[in-house]
Amino acid sequence: MNHFPEAWGRPRDDVYGAYNSTYLQTSGPKAHTTSPAVTGTSVLGVKFKGGVVLATDNLASYGSLARFTDVKRLRVFGGKAVVGFGGDVSDMQYIDRLLESIDIRENYSSHGNMLNAKNLHTYLAKVFYKRRSEFNPLWNHILVAGFDADDQPFLSSADLLGTTFSSPHLATGFGAHLAVPILRRKFPDERGIETISREEAIEALKECLKVLFYRDARSLDKYSIAVITQEGIDLREDEQIEGQSWAFAETIRGYGSQTS
Amino acid sequence: MFRNNYDNDAVTFSPQGRIFQVEYAQEAVKQGSVVVGLVNKTHSVLVGLKRNAEELSSYQKKIIEVDSHMAVAIAGLASDARVLSNFMKQQSLSSKMTYGRPIPLDRIVTQIGDRAQTNTQHYGKRPYGVGLLVAGVDAAGPHLFEFQPSGLTHEMQACAIGARSQMARTYLERNLDKFDGCSRDELVTHGLRALKETLSQDKELTMENTSVGVVGLGTNGKMEAFKLYEGQDAVPLLEALEQADSAGAGEGESMEVDS
């Protein structure tokens, strides 16, 4: 046995040859995160009459590997707002700690935490923008849901560049391609959120999650869903996509073993 | 030369447990001209008596707008007040930039309180020679805070600081229960009357020497931005005070006007 601790846990030189230290970069530009590592996929959100629904699946992928299947990607802030995270999971955990410390600081005030979802979204967008300007981005795309200062339902997105976007229904990641068209068909602009019921909004998101599970290879059939109303936040983190039917898969050609 | 051995700096306690420099700073507040603040369920009002150093000079500003939702009234060294109000303006702006919300009153008052306290615990520093009344609205409604050179801050329903302010405080204490139910204009009148109480025999409130600041919630529950009444703008308020007082006198009462 080699008694030098620096050799422990390494491939043995006598078996594998000496380590080629040119793999280690010792010069050149400093590289911050240039790609995410463990990632969450889509976040979906819809406004309805009197509130907002947010949903994500519970998967954290490591590349194409479905690495963690119980990751909660919806985070409640101060009992008033919910943030849904897509993108890098470790950066999500960092932002979650940031939110925790803000909540604690705000609660020193005699009136408690008075930051609403809109304030939170403004803040997080600034955090993202600052980090991207330092060439050290937080690799996330988030949705923030809750209420604004006028107690109107609020839903808005912010991404790793600090770009913000708002709409009555939003989706990040693959969902931006697959879920948004479904949501736009169900809730066209001219309908207005006043005509959308809570149940309808939840059903629509469940439908979108199912489509995403069918077609997004980085998704999972276990999901979390949060309903934010003036009465409070109903967060369910251990849900299962119901009524799957893979019959359509038989007809799909063009990849795998069925290339013809 | 010295009143005692324990007042050379602000870091040494006297054997009686007092910090004389802080007490002297509080004297500076007592020598400043009077400011009155009062608050009800919808509005927060600041009223100040301005002084001019000499006949030909302008009057010293007594009420400084920090942001559209908040203002401070000052008693004591105006230059110290400017340092504090500039700091408050910065903090308020930074809250609007990062969170998109007006800074909560108790937050910013705690911050200036902390700043003032460090001046009472570091060698070579001196306490601020100014007292402030901070009036404003936030998500929790209208507020009035008192700030002292010692770093002490209190949320108040009504308060007066500065020269002869005891007379104003007496008025405020006697009429405290009327404030909550009264309107914006009546609250201003109460503030002006409290201010008037402090005047010496040969003085009176004029449009030159009176400053009134109002901030609060409008009838729709939305914030009504801070408004400062000085010069010509103060004339209607002074007339309202005069009218209310003469109406009260007609009924054989000297003070009761809003029944």
Side-chain angles (χ1 to χ4, degrees):
Chain A
M1 178 178 169
N2 188 335
H3 292 278
F4 295 108
E6 64 269 25
W8 295 352
R10 293 174 182 281
R12 284 165 55 188
D13 285 358
D14 57 328
V15 178
Y16 299 98
Y19 180 73
N20 181 354
S21 59
T22 59
Y23 288 127
L24 286 172
Q25 203 178 27
T26 53
S27 61
K30 180 176 175 184
H32 288 128
T33 314
T34 52
S35 64
V38 180
T39 59
T41 180
S42 324
V43 186
L44 314 175
V46 182
K47 281 198 230 180
F48 62 90
K49 183 174 163 40
V52 194
V53 207
L54 224 53
T56 65
D57 67 29
N58 292 349
L59 179 68
S61 311
Y62 181 59
S64 60
L65 173 71
R67 181 65 184 83
F68 305 104
T69 55
D70 58 349
V71 174
K72 314 294 188 264
R73 299 197 286 126
L74 295 179
R75 300 295 165 101
V76 177
F77 175 73
K80 286 192 204 153
V82 177
V83 186
F85 290 89
D88 195 279
V89 169
S90 61
D91 285 349
M92 169 185 92
Q93 291 169 340
Y94 169 77
I95 294 170
D96 196 37
R97 289 197 293 276
L98 216 57
L99 297 183
E100 185 72 17
S101 68
I102 290 173
D103 188 38
I104 289 168
R105 199 179 66 216
E106 287 292 309
N107 273 302
Y108 278 106
S109 162
S110 50
H111 302 286
N113 186 348
M114 293 192 287
L115 287 172
N116 58 39
K118 194 173 184 207
N119 299 144
L120 183 65
H121 175 259
T122 306
Y123 170 75
L124 287 174
K126 298 234 144 89
V127 171
F128 281 126
Y129 183 71
K130 177 175 183 286
R131 289 293 295 262
R132 82 102 221 196
S133 300
E134 291 169 353
F135 287 85
N136 189 17
L138 291 165
W139 219 283
N140 298 101
H141 192 165
I142 61 164
L143 297 187
V144 182
F147 292 90
D148 63 16
D150 301 322
D151 287 334
Q152 294 301 308
F154 176 86
L155 174 65
S156 198
S157 80
D159 69 8
L160 71 169
L161 301 175
T163 314
T164 62
F165 191 76
S166 192
S167 168
H169 36 260
L170 280 171
T172 75
F174 235 91
H177 302 97
L178 293 180
V180 166
I182 299 172
L183 294 170
R184 284 193 183 150
R185 195 173 64 237
K186 280 184 189 290
F187 309 124
D189 278 352
E190 52 274 20
R191 257 191 82 175
I193 66 164
E194 289 303 311
T195 64
I196 303 170
S197 72
R198 174 189 174 125
E199 289 68 31
E200 208 180 347
I202 294 173
E203 273 317 305
L205 283 199
K206 285 184 180 171
E207 178 66 24
C208 290
L209 284 166
K210 196 195 293 185
V211 171
L212 281 165
F213 182 54
Y214 287 151
R215 320 218 80 132
D216 175 4
R218 307 286 171 266
S219 69
L220 194 67
D221 56 351
K222 291 211 285 286
Y223 67 96
S224 304
I225 189 162
V227 185
I228 305 117
T229 57
Q230 286 290 4
E231 283 73 52
I233 294 168
D234 179 19
L235 174 61
R236 294 157 194 273
E237 292 185 312
D238 201 18
E239 303 292 289
Q240 171 76 33
I241 292 176
E242 309 282 353
Q244 293 175 37
S245 164
W246 287 88
F248 73 95
E250 298 293 326
T251 66
I252 294 177
R253 293 287 181 275
Y255 69 94
S257 57
Q258 305 146 328
T259 48
S260 57
Chain B
M1 178 163 179
F2 300 113
R3 271 165 63 177
N4 60 59
N5 291 326
Y6 295 98
D7 67 353
N8 291 313
D9 57 64
V11 304
T12 314
F13 278 105
S14 82
Q16 287 78 37
R18 296 162 61 180
I19 298 169
F20 285 105
Q21 281 298 326
V22 171
E23 293 184 20
Y24 299 161
Q26 270 154 347
E27 286 304 312
V29 178
K30 286 185 195 157
Q31 285 176 33
S33 68
V34 64
V35 284
V36 177
L38 57 172
V39 70
N40 70 6
K41 287 195 176 97
T42 57
H43 287 85
S44 191
V45 171
L46 295 173
V47 185
L49 182 69
K50 291 187 288 184
R51 276 202 292 228
N52 53 348
E54 49 181 299
E55 197 60 35
L56 296 176
S57 77
S58 63
Y59 285 79
Q60 177 62 49
K61 220 168 140 59
K62 293 295 281 180
I63 300 175
I64 301 171
E65 179 175 349
V66 173
D67 202 342
S68 57
H69 73 296
M70 168 172 57
V72 293
I74 64 182
L77 297 184
S79 38
D80 282 14
R82 212 169 53 240
V83 171
L84 280 170
S85 65
N86 284 345
F87 170 74
M88 291 170 84
K89 283 177 188 176
Q90 281 178 9
Q91 293 298 316
S92 193
L93 217 50
S94 126
S95 173
K96 278 205 172 150
M97 283 288 283
T98 41
Y99 300 102
R101 74 156 173 189
I103 194 165
L105 266 281
D106 67 333
R107 173 74 52 80
I108 194 161
V109 169
T110 307
Q111 281 177 350
I112 56 169
D114 290 350
R115 256 174 94 97
Q117 195 279 336
T118 55
N119 287 345
T120 70
Q121 220 178 4
H122 288 274
Y123 191 80
K125 291 200 181 264
R126 74 163 170 82
Y128 291 110
V130 71
L132 302 179
L133 296 180
V134 186
V137 276
D138 59 26
H143 300 280
L144 174 71
F145 285 88
E146 181 195 7
F147 160 88
Q148 294 175 357
S150 59
L152 218 57
T153 60
H154 290 295
E155 176 148 24
M156 309 294 278
Q157 276 185 283
C159 187
I161 54 172
R164 300 164 63 90
S165 58
Q166 183 54 52
M167 300 294 287
R169 277 199 297 279
T170 307
Y171 175 85
L172 295 172
E173 282 162 17
R174 289 210 178 123
N175 294 277
L176 193 59
D177 46 337
K178 292 179 192 153
F179 300 160
D180 249 356
C182 79
S183 70
R184 176 190 193 273
D185 294 345
E186 285 165 343
L187 198 65
V188 171
T189 305
H190 276 298
L192 284 171
R193 200 177 294 118
L195 192 71
K196 201 173 156 192
E197 293 283 307
T198 68
L199 298 178
S200 53
Q201 287 291 321
D202 55 334
K203 285 267 185 61
E204 58 182 42
L205 295 179
T206 65
M207 64 179 237
E208 284 82 22
N209 71 8
T210 310
S211 236
V212 180
V214 188
V215 63
L217 302 168
T219 42
N220 54 359
K222 287 255 176 267
M223 192 190 83
E224 187 184 302
F226 175 77
K227 179 137 175 51
L228 184 64
Y229 299 88
E230 284 184 322
Q232 280 299 333
D233 293 339
V235 173
L237 307 180
L238 291 168
E239 279 171 357
L241 170 69
E242 215 166 292
Q243 259 175 19
D245 281 356
S246 58
E251 288 161 19
E253 293 173 35
S254 56
M255 281 301 155
E256 296 290 323
V257 280
D258 14 55
S259 48

